[in-house]
Amino acid sequence: MRARVTVTLKNGVLDPQGKAIEGALGTLGFGGVGQVRQGKVFDVELDGADRSKAEADLKAMCEKLLANTVIEDYAVEIAG
């Protein structure tokens, strides 16, 4: 089973890397770009076919390691 975990900064948390990307896009001639927020993506392969267990395990992985839940949100997508 494959899953994708997307981790992003929570709204209200300063994102200097996103700000730098936003500025660079403007410098490269890409006008009309609003706010840019950066994040990270984890593609995870899991053994087994139990989707509810996989989702619970992935959430636990996020809570314990993949995301800093004080300043980051995460989303889990299971592809199957």
Side-chain angles (χ1 to χ4, degrees), residues 45-71:
E45 289 193 28
L46 301 166
D47 292 335
D50 185 343
R51 289 180 68 87
S52 61
K53 180 181 180 335
E55 187 172 348
D57 286 348
L58 288 160
K59 286 181 179 181
M61 290 176 201
C62 290
E63 295 287 330
K64 292 180 180 180
L65 177 67
L66 301 180
N68 176 351
T69 57
V70 173
I71 61 169

Side-chain angles (χ1 to χ4, degrees), residues 10-32:
K10 291 182 177 185
N11 287 333
V13 175
L14 294 178
D15 185 356
Q17 187 174 3
K19 237 352 168 188
I21 293 167
E22 182 181 322
L25 289 171
T27 301
L28 292 171
F30 295 101

